[in-house]
Amino acid sequence: MANDASTVFDLVILGGGSGGYAAALRASQLGLDVALIEKNKLGGTCLHNGCIPTKALLHAGEVADSAREAAQFGVKTSFEGIDIAGVHKYKDEVVAGLYKGLQGLVASRKVTYIEGEGRLSSPTSVDVNGERIQGRHVLLATGSVPKSLPGLQIDGNRILSSDHALVLDRVPESAIILGGGVIGVEFASAWKSFGSEVTVIEGLKHLVPVEDENSSKLLERAFRKRGIKFNLGTFFDKAEYTENGVRVTLADGKTFEAEVLLVAIGRGPVSQGLGYEEQGVAMDRGYVLVDEYMQTNVPTVSAVGDLVPTLQLAHVGFAEGILVAERLAGLKTVPIDYDGVPRVTYCHPEVASVGITEAKAKEIYGADKVIAAKFNLAGNGKSKILKTAGEIKLVQVKDGAVVGIHMVGDRMGEQVGEAQLIYNWEALPAEVAQLIHAHPTQNEALGEAHLALAGKPLHNHD
């Protein structure tokens, strides 16, 4: 292996997804000499196989629903169906535009970009394309891939991963989705909008089970109204081909049949065969273990993004990458409060949250110290105009700050910015209630919820 000792980068990054490229951009901005290594495309899962293309599909589904339902707004339209090739063209144009912009951004920051499959070869080097890239520090950011279950073979034909679903050349007449988390309910929502008959299988007792139980129940109610079926509380046993599709059997013997099965049980870290363990990096179930500053047990190696056991969100990867870059540049850094990270599930209706659930708050502070208040979107003018249903729920420590904000309804993801500030600045309900929110907006529903919690409800219905 060639070793050009004359070039030693300040930072060598293995993986050009959200965490990796954010670290590269920030480190370069701070004057560090950076090499960024990526085997596929710059931007990683989020840009090419995750956040961006799935949200494009969901928006296409929203347009389809709007066309079908326009008569309720007094608008005459006709819906002639889904041109899936046209949907993919739209989706791919969105991705391509962002990809081109990101390539230009990385080039403008004078980051040395290397295409190729890299492997950690020492605590301070990565081997790629027959060369050894030396660095004073190495950042591991190799991301994740869709997971499966023992005995469940994802073949891309009738049994699909989210990667396959994003490029499927047809709208399936029927689909079973294994997993009722973020990925599962987003595809359920999009495919239902496209005209599929969808059934979601979730082994836990609720859809989006990591969310506040109230949010899960509201989403389940909305899915029932949309005709999206789901089976909760029983785990998967096996899947087999039928003459025309797939049959899924659950642990209780119940069976479901459909044209395709989408396996959406989460994503696992990409770490095998990359030299991490050989170089002494501590790991657990494939994840690289890090401290609160994203440093591994090897002093010259850090790790970020889906590779580490934190929230698998692109914006978390951004924040972790920036934290590493700033730490290496000698700036004062603050560990990430993962409870303070905004979380959005972009199904119809959307589920958005910041902070902790009511159940978690009671566990931490005691049931008698926790207050919860709800504001129904039925009392919000803009939500009425949009014909969306849902709620905003606040969780407060008695006589203290708001520690959880949980929202269900169309466009609630757009309200999560203020919710993030409320949680992270430890705002009291009375402080938020004092702020004037524009009318008519959905944003004022957040203000109304705080008015209610502060003891001076305005448009709340008893």
Side-chain angles (χ1 to χ4, degrees):
M1 184 71 64
N3 184 2
D4 183 2
S6 64
T7 304
V8 179
F9 292 94
D10 295 312
L11 177 61
V12 175
I13 303 169
L14 183 54
S18 302
Y21 86 67
L25 293 174
R26 183 63 177 136
S28 176
Q29 190 178 55
L30 292 170
L32 301 185
D33 196 10
V34 182
L36 178 61
I37 300 165
E38 169 57 51
K39 69 175 182 178
N40 291 319
K41 289 183 176 179
L42 185 63
T45 294
C46 173
L47 179 52
H48 300 285
N49 302 100
C51 324
I52 301 301
T54 55
K55 278 50 180 183
L57 289 185
L58 283 158
H59 182 62
E62 183 183 357
V63 172
D65 288 335
S66 296
R68 283 191 195 94
E69 300 162 7
Q72 66 181 314
F73 301 101
V75 178
K76 295 181 179 179
T77 62
S78 60
F79 177 71
E80 297 179 10
I82 300 295
D83 170 14
I84 197 64
V87 170
H88 286 313
K89 181 175 182 290
Y90 150 69
K91 166 180 66 74
D92 294 344
E93 284 174 351
V94 171
V95 172
L98 292 170
Y99 179 43
K100 185 176 180 182
L102 181 58
Q103 287 174 304
L105 191 58
V106 167
S108 73
R109 296 280 174 88
K110 308 229 173 351
V111 171
T112 300
Y113 182 68
I114 302 168
E115 284 189 19
E117 187 164 359
R119 189 177 190 279
L120 187 67
S121 52
S122 83
T124 55
S125 66
V126 173
D127 291 351
V128 58
N129 301 336
E131 292 185 55
R132 179 154 292 167
I133 310 301
Q134 297 276 3
R136 294 180 179 84
H137 200 90
V138 176
L139 174 60
L140 309 177
T142 43
S144 63
V145 290
K147 288 197 296 190
S148 188
L149 293 170
L152 182 55
Q153 185 65 43
I154 296 175
D155 56 24
N157 181 12
R158 300 185 199 177
I159 302 178
L160 315 175
S161 71
S162 56
D163 289 349
H164 301 123
L166 280 171
V167 295
L168 196 63
D169 62 358
R170 66 192 187 284
V171 175
E173 286 189 17
S174 58
I176 298 166
I177 297 177
L178 183 59
V182 173
I183 298 170
V185 299
E186 287 187 352
F187 272 102
S189 188
W191 277 350
K192 181 62 180 178
S193 295
F194 288 167
S196 295
E197 287 301 314
V198 179
T199 302
V200 181
I201 306 294
E202 171 53 57
L204 300 178
K205 65 179 182 178
H206 286 296
L207 297 178
V208 288
V210 301
E211 295 290 343
D212 190 272
E213 188 172 320
N214 186 66
S215 295
S216 295
K217 288 178 177 178
L218 287 168
L219 180 63
E220 288 159 15
R221 184 189 306 167
F223 269 22
R224 283 191 201 99
K225 192 172 179 182
R226 291 187 62 195
I228 297 174
K229 300 171 186 173
F230 47 88
N231 192 92
L232 305 173
T234 306
F235 286 98
F236 168 87
D237 179 39
K238 64 180 179 179
E240 55 198 334
Y241 272 22
T242 62
E243 185 177 346
N244 299 311
V246 181
R247 180 185 299 113
V248 169
T249 304
L250 302 188
D252 62 1
K254 191 182 292 186
T255 62
F256 300 84
E257 293 191 17
E259 180 186 336
V260 297
L261 167 64
L262 171 61
V263 182
I265 58 168
R267 299 179 65 87
V270 175
S271 58
Q272 270 195 326
L274 296 178
Y276 300 168
E277 289 173 301
E278 290 91 325
Q279 300 308 321
V281 175
M283 302 180 72
D284 178 37
R285 296 171 294 115
Y287 290 100
V288 172
L289 300 179
V290 293
D291 65 13
E292 60 188 351
Y293 295 99
M294 314 315 297
Q295 183 138 6
T296 72
N297 61 309
V298 178
T300 55
V301 179
S302 295
V304 298
D306 289 0
L307 182 61
V308 302
T310 57
L311 293 172
Q312 290 188 332
L313 297 168
H315 44 288
V316 167
F318 294 150
E320 291 172 344
I322 290 167
L323 188 155
V324 170
E326 293 183 346
R327 171 168 60 79
L328 295 178
L331 301 184
K332 182 180 178 182
T333 54
V334 177
I336 295 166
D337 174 7
Y338 290 97
D339 287 334
V341 171
R343 305 171 295 273
V344 185
T345 304
Y346 295 88
C347 50
H348 166 49
E350 290 182 351
V351 181
S353 61
V354 180
I356 59 177
T357 65
E358 181 180 0
K360 185 69 174 177
K362 287 178 176 178
E363 185 183 311
I364 295 171
Y365 301 104
D368 60 331
K369 295 285 195 293
V370 173
I371 300 168
K374 300 175 186 176
F375 181 81
N376 196 303
L377 294 186
N380 175 255
K382 188 60 181 286
S383 295
K384 275 282 195 189
I385 291 166
L386 296 171
K387 289 185 177 286
T388 186
E391 277 180 359
I392 291 177
K393 175 181 175 178
L394 304 179
V395 180
Q396 178 199 10
V397 178
K398 191 174 182 181
D399 299 324
V402 173
V403 295
I405 300 172
H406 306 277
M407 304 180 283
V408 178
D410 288 344
R411 306 188 186 181
M412 285 298 106
E414 300 303 322
Q415 310 310 318
V416 85
E418 183 181 359
Q420 178 184 14
L421 296 179
I422 291 165
Y423 171 85
N424 284 287
W425 287 346
E426 300 178 355
L428 302 174
E431 293 172 330
V432 182
Q434 201 172 337
L435 302 174
I436 299 172
H437 292 74
H439 174 79
T441 63
Q442 287 187 290
N443 180 237
E444 68 181 317
L446 201 52
E448 293 264 8
H450 285 83
L451 279 166
L453 200 53
K456 45 182 182 181
L458 186 59
H459 293 104
N460 275 45
H461 296 271
D462 294 329

